[in-house]
Structure formats: structure tokens, C-alpha cells
Amino acid sequence: EWGVNGYTTLEVGVGKAFATISAAWNTLKGKVFKSDVLIKVFDGTYQWDSFVLENQPYADRIRIEGNVTTPANCVIAFKPSSTLFSGGWIIRGVRGLNVSGFTLKGASAVDNWPSRLLRLDTSSTVESDAGTMVFDGGARAVELLGRSTYTAANSVFKNQLEIGCIVYTSSIATLTGSVFTGLGKDASSTNPSGSVFASSAAIYATDNSVVYSNGSTASKYSRGVYAQFGAYVSMTDSVITDSNTGIFATLGAHVMANNVAATSVNASFNADSRSLISATGATATGAVVGYLASFMSHITANSSKAVSCATGYKAQVLSEIEAATTSTASATSTVKYAPATTATLGNDNAMIRFS
């Protein structure tokens, strides 16, 4: 048939018309859609090779659905290739697709190394219903590049060896209210090629990309947020725990971290190399340095707190920290401010304005 003339459901699973999502998808290629299509994946654990979805101009009329109530009941576990890597689920040049109700799983072992669980590239646009996606394992959970956009509020990211969500090249991820749990702030991993990775992150944004992850939590990563090369990350009203660095912005990045609480983090808010962090109302607890601005960077931290930190606020090398109304709330830090006098240059022409 040349077209889809009425609402159509394509069933995927054991004993169903299609064994894989790819098989169902491919039957739709070249057809004109007059109605919507549901690719329904029934409960089960599917051991699949990496697969690519592409070449579908009517993707905005397609929904790929597992179990939106209990995503743990519909698992896609990626098998390794002959080189022991897996590319995961790749969506290429597809716009308007909905993918909801899945646990994507990678074994993350030296004999089964999913490079990522979900990859969007070539200006893809995909949305997942809020609270219906779990990303378990893999080196990276979600990877966006080539001006792609992914929206998946209230998602779960856990057990990634490298990065929860990595966003490149002017791509946009919206992951508000999500939970990121790594394998430990000092954890390292070795892939089948022998490469060692020891700088994990919940969110990694680069090359003018954008991430919205307000109201989220991140724990057990080397860095909660790593932003560089003009990237913008908004992670306000969030919690970061048990990490080496809470928020790290470098090389012209900007991170919105207002009202973020960083606990058991060595360096809570770190702006470096012409970068900006907005941390109004934030709290750094038990850090070596609560708020650190270096190399022509700026942190706005008015009404913030540095609780029981070795150094609360430190600016160095032509940098500045705005820290109005912080002195009383930061009294338990060993050194509250460096430079120690408000609006006075020190530490290589840096300044903190505090009260």
C-alpha cells in the first residue's frame, strides 16, 4: 500500500507482527501518512543490536511506545558488535518523533561496551513523555549532536561509566526534574580499546549547545555539570552531592545554578576561563572551595551560603564574585573570602564584592 489512511498500530514483540522496532519502522518508509501510527512494543527484555531510525518525513505522526506506566517492564538491552562496542539506538534526521516508555540498558563491561544508549543527530527532534524513560548503564546514556533536540523531563539516568547526557554542536536537551546517579566521583573505566576515562559527568554541554535541567539531582559523578565552548546550562533549584566538582563552567560557558545545593562536593561552583555562573541563593556545604572564579570569569552568588567550607569564596586572576548578603550565612567556613576585603583587588587582580 502507498499510504497510511487510518490510525494504525504496528505491534512489536514475541509472537507479534514485528520482531523489532526497525522492522516496523521500515514498513512505513515511502508511504504518505494521512493518520497517526503507533509502534507498540510489548513488555519484555529485548536483546538487540544497535539500530538506526531515519528517512521518515512523517515522523511527527509516529509514536514509539513501550510501557509508559512501568518503563522497567519494557527493556531494550544492547548487544555488543564484533568489536565489543554497541552504538545503541540512533535517530538520524528525524523530526517530531515521540519515544516513550522504555528502559534502555547497556552492560558497560569490557566485553560489551555500549558507546551510548540513545543518540540523536542530523537535526533530529524527539520527545519522550515525562517520567517514562530510564537510561541504565552504557558509557553515555544520551548523546545529541548536529543541532538535534531532545525533551525528556523526569527521566532517570544511572550507572553510566562516562556521562549521563552529552550535548554537542548547538543541540538542545530539556531534562527538567531528572535524576542522575553515577558510579562514584573517583570511578574510572577502561573500554575494549584500552582507553581509560576518569572524568564522569551527569551533564556535559559543549559547542554552543543548551541544556535545561532545572529541579534535578545529580550524585556520584566527577562533575555534576561540565559546560564549555559557549554552552549554556540551566540547572536551577537542583541538588548535587558526592562529586568532585558540582558546577564547572569553562571556555566561555554560562551555567544558571540559582538555588542549587551542593553537598559533599570538593569544589561546588567553579567558573574558569572567561565563563559565567549564576548562583544566587545557592548553598555550598563542606567544600574545599565553595565558589571559585578564575581567569577572567564571573560568579554571581548574592544571598548564597558557604557552610563549613575550607574557603567559602575565592576569586583569582582577573575574576570577580558578587556575594552580597553572604557573610553571616557563611560564618562557619574557615576562610570566608579570598581576597579578604570587599571590593579590593588581590589574587592577581581579582575581586569579591561581599556583605
Side-chain angles (χ1 to χ4, degrees):
E1 295 183 6
W2 62 269
V4 178
N5 297 314
Y7 185 83
T8 300
T9 299
L10 305 180
E11 297 184 342
V12 176
V14 177
K16 304 300 180 183
F18 300 96
T20 65
I21 292 172
S22 294
W25 179 271
N26 289 338
T27 64
L28 300 171
K29 289 182 178 179
K31 293 185 177 182
V32 176
F33 286 39
K34 294 183 179 180
S35 300
D36 294 342
V37 173
L38 172 65
I39 298 177
K40 176 62 179 176
V41 183
F42 284 77
D43 285 357
T45 297
Y46 300 93
Q47 300 281 341
W48 286 344
D49 297 318
S50 175
F51 62 97
V52 181
L53 302 185
E54 58 186 342
N55 299 328
Q56 182 48 263
Y58 294 97
D60 61 338
R61 306 207 71 164
I62 300 174
R63 175 181 174 89
I64 303 175
E65 181 183 291
N67 190 322
V68 295
T69 303
T70 311
N73 290 347
C74 192
V75 179
I76 300 175
F78 293 103
K79 297 191 297 184
S81 67
S82 60
T83 61
L84 305 181
F85 288 90
S86 170
W89 185 343
I90 301 170
I91 298 174
R92 178 167 296 146
V94 170
R95 298 169 182 83
L97 179 66
N98 186 288
V99 174
S100 299
F102 294 96
T103 292
L104 304 187
K105 188 173 180 60
S108 300
V110 293
D111 59 349
N112 182 1
W113 189 274
S115 298
R116 86 283 296 176
L117 301 179
L118 177 65
R119 170 181 171 136
L120 277 59
D121 63 37
T122 320
S123 300
S124 292
T125 303
V126 177
E127 181 173 0
S128 297
D129 295 353
T132 68
M133 295 298 293
V134 177
F135 302 93
D136 185 359
R140 303 170 177 182
V142 173
E143 184 177 84
L144 309 182
L145 64 160
R147 297 180 181 272
S148 294
T149 301
Y150 183 47
T151 301
N154 305 117
S155 294
V156 174
F157 297 76
K158 58 183 180 179
N159 301 322
Q160 280 76 51
L161 288 171
E162 295 181 0
I163 296 167
C165 179
I166 185 166
V167 188
Y168 299 100
T169 52
S170 302
S171 296
I172 302 172
T174 301
L175 305 169
T176 52
S178 293
V179 177
F180 299 82
T181 308
L183 293 172
K185 64 182 181 181
D186 297 318
S188 64
S189 57
T190 303
N191 71 21
S193 297
S195 298
V196 177
F197 190 89
S199 298
S200 63
I203 294 170
Y204 187 115
T206 186
D207 303 330
N208 299 309
S209 60
V210 177
V211 178
Y212 300 102
S213 191
N214 303 322
S216 294
T217 63
S219 63
K220 299 182 179 180
Y221 291 92
S222 178
R223 298 182 176 104
V225 172
Y226 186 104
Q228 66 173 5
F229 294 127
Y232 174 84
V233 177
S234 182
M235 200 176 179
T236 63
D237 304 296
S238 298
V239 176
I240 301 174
T241 62
D242 195 18
S243 301
N244 287 319
T245 303
I247 304 287
F248 184 69
T250 187
L251 299 170
H254 183 189
V255 178
M256 294 291 292
N258 298 330
N259 301 314
V260 166
T263 303
S264 299
V265 175
N266 294 341
S268 298
F269 304 89
N270 188 348
D272 179 81
S273 300
R274 294 192 173 103
S275 296
L276 303 173
I277 293 178
S278 301
T280 298
T283 302
T285 302
V288 176
V289 181
Y291 306 81
L292 175 62
S294 306
F295 298 102
M296 293 180 282
S297 295
H298 185 96
I299 296 177
T300 301
N302 299 319
S303 302
S304 63
K305 300 176 183 178
V307 180
S308 301
C309 298
T311 299
Y313 302 80
K314 183 176 182 179
Q316 58 190 12
V317 192
L318 300 168
S319 297
E320 185 176 26
I321 298 177
E322 298 284 346
T325 320
T326 60
S327 182
T328 300
S330 303
T332 56
S333 290
T334 304
V335 176
K336 286 197 291 185
Y337 306 103
T341 304
T342 186
T344 302
L345 291 175
N347 294 343
D348 294 322
N349 290 316
M351 180 185 296
I352 302 176
R353 300 178 187 275
F354 61 85
S355 61

